[in-house]
Amino acid sequence: MANSAFRQDPSATGSFDKIRGIEPVVGNAQPAHAVVIGGGTGAPVSIRTLVSMGVRTSAVVAMADDGGSTGALRELANVTPPGDIRKCLVAFADDPHDPLTRAFKYRFELANNHALGNLLITALEDATGSFPEAIRICEDLLHAKGHVYPSTLDKVTLCGRTLDGRIIEGQANISHSRTAIESVWLKAPYTGTPYPAAIKAICEADLIVLGPGSLFTSIIPNLLIPGVLEAIRSSRAKTVFVCSVADFQGETWGFSAEEHVRALQDHGMAGLLDYVLVHTPVQLRPGGHEPGSFNQVTREEPLQNDFDGASRVRPVPITYDAAYRIQESGPVVIARDFVDPAHPTIHNPIALRDALTGVLKLCRSPQM
């Protein structure tokens, strides 16, 4: 970008160009309805993949974000957090290369690094008196191919406990924790009233996709909103957890794929997971190397604070025995090489599309 006063949020748009134009795998007569539950930079990966498949897609997004531009707007203007909503709206945009879509991601260093999309959503919320209406207008502007719903409209605060027993308050602080997180909850008394349209979307879904993305700060906060787990339980949908391919965040530093699944189950998803997608560069075989025990695995992140630095990115480990234990707890494990070679922290969209296509074929009934 010529003007250094502006920059775009990274979105790996080039990676997803690989699946643009590929023939949809779902017919238009009665397309399946998928709901992606998450937020941040992870949910857009599933959104773009599902849209490319021809699946009617919605997103239910966490509202606990309190960092960066979103955190400043939330604190100073007392508005609903727009950041994760913005990222999902961009993922749904009909043309990721359209100037308006690109401008939506612009950050203004001359204006405290605020993202244009965040400012627009916030302004529209004030102008219309409605956060959902602000989202709807932005969906129209971007010619979005799906709908984005906040899981709640309440101003919730996320709290967490680290594996060494410390209590942390605030989504951004939890995300950047120096020690991995054990559990999270919403600070009383504001535990959130569910947004009805989000609950309706979940109840009517054929496929529910959790993640990928930040486990404790993007995915699980949605499950903490009263009514969300009940909606998943009452839905006819099959549920898929897309486990992160890379370990580079403080909140899950040192976690294996099995520990990701166990954390979800400990936060209400026990008995509700049908499939788990995990990354492995090699075929899993009995007797493969087992990851170390808690005392052997480093649970504290390195001293450097570069959360995108390649030096602190490592694969989320999975072994044959761990996959077997996951399956004993309920879900079917689909283990493949999911890494995008050009972006070691995100999924290869072609591999993810192939896996989700297989899951969709397995879970669709003849009546659908």
Side-chain angles (χ1 to χ4, degrees):
M1 193 175 299
N3 194 333
S4 61
F6 309 102
R7 65 180 180 85
Q8 281 191 1
D9 272 358
S11 59
T13 300
S15 292
F16 287 90
D17 283 343
K18 300 173 185 175
I19 55 175
R20 282 177 60 83
I22 300 179
E23 193 70 23
V25 297
V26 178
N28 293 324
Q30 291 180 306
H33 178 207
V35 172
V36 177
I37 296 179
T41 57
V45 172
S46 290
I47 289 170
R48 292 180 186 177
T49 302
L50 289 163
V51 168
S52 80
M53 293 164 54
V55 175
R56 184 164 58 93
T57 306
S58 303
V60 173
V61 181
M63 289 289 100
D65 191 1
D66 58 7
S69 170
T70 290
L73 290 171
R74 174 173 168 162
E75 180 178 353
L76 298 175
N78 195 32
V79 297
T80 314
D84 286 358
I85 294 286
R86 166 182 57 85
K87 292 171 185 175
C88 290
L89 285 169
V90 169
F92 274 121
D94 180 55
D95 182 2
H97 300 288
D98 179 79
L100 180 59
T101 304
R102 293 173 58 220
F104 218 74
K105 299 186 290 182
Y106 272 33
R107 287 191 177 274
F108 294 79
E109 293 187 7
L110 70 170
N112 297 322
N113 209 36
H114 281 300
L116 177 62
N118 289 356
L119 294 173
L120 182 57
I121 294 170
T122 297
L124 287 169
E125 179 184 7
D126 183 71
T128 63
S130 168
F131 189 63
E133 180 63 10
I135 296 172
R136 187 199 63 78
I137 292 171
C138 290
E139 287 175 349
D140 289 344
L141 288 172
L142 298 173
H143 303 288
K145 293 184 175 182
H147 297 290
V148 182
Y149 303 112
S151 54
T152 182
L153 297 179
D154 293 340
K155 190 174 182 179
V156 295
T157 299
L158 191 67
C159 298
R161 179 183 293 105
T162 64
L163 287 171
D164 59 5
R166 291 181 297 108
I167 304 298
I168 303 176
E169 183 172 314
Q171 179 269 345
N173 292 330
I174 293 170
S175 176
H176 293 75
S177 171
R178 292 293 303 276
T179 306
I181 301 298
E182 178 183 64
S183 62
V184 290
W185 62 92
L186 297 178
K187 184 178 180 180
Y190 304 107
T191 55
T193 302
Y195 179 54
I199 298 298
K200 184 174 186 289
I202 293 171
C203 288
E204 296 177 350
D206 302 308
L207 182 68
I208 295 171
V209 180
L210 290 89
S214 304
L215 181 65
F216 290 105
T217 54
S218 290
I219 301 172
I220 290 177
N222 291 290
L223 307 179
L224 302 177
I225 301 298
V228 170
L229 284 170
E230 290 75 10
I232 294 173
R233 189 172 292 110
S234 65
S235 171
R236 65 178 179 178
K238 298 295 185 181
T239 60
V240 183
F241 171 47
V242 184
C243 187
S244 295
V245 297
D247 180 10
F248 65 102
Q249 289 185 302
E251 65 182 75
T252 50
W253 187 250
F255 267 36
S256 66
E258 183 181 12
E259 288 170 308
H260 279 77
V261 173
R262 190 182 308 134
L264 268 182
Q265 293 170 332
D266 288 345
H267 287 82
M269 287 300 294
L272 297 179
L273 287 175
D274 295 299
Y275 300 94
V276 173
L277 307 188
V278 296
H279 165 66
T280 175
V282 296
Q283 184 177 354
L284 299 181
R285 300 181 184 278
H289 177 66
E290 190 73 36
S293 67
F294 170 75
N295 292 327
Q296 295 171 315
V297 177
T298 301
R299 300 301 179 136
E300 186 168 304
E301 61 133 349
L303 291 175
Q304 62 262 42
N305 199 30
D306 177 10
F307 279 82
D308 294 317
S311 62
R312 55 184 312 279
V313 173
R314 59 185 181 185
V316 173
I318 183 69
T319 65
Y320 179 92
D321 289 344
Y324 183 82
R325 289 192 296 268
I326 292 172
Q327 293 202 144
E328 280 192 318
S329 72
V332 174
V333 174
I334 300 174
R336 298 183 184 176
D337 187 344
F338 281 111
V339 165
D340 185 334
H343 302 276
T345 64
I346 71 169
H347 286 72
N348 181 328
I350 295 177
L352 182 59
R353 189 182 196 266
D354 181 63
L356 289 177
T357 298
V359 168
L360 193 61
K361 289 178 179 178
L362 287 172
C363 71
R364 293 192 75 185
S365 68
Q367 289 77 29
M368 291 171 53

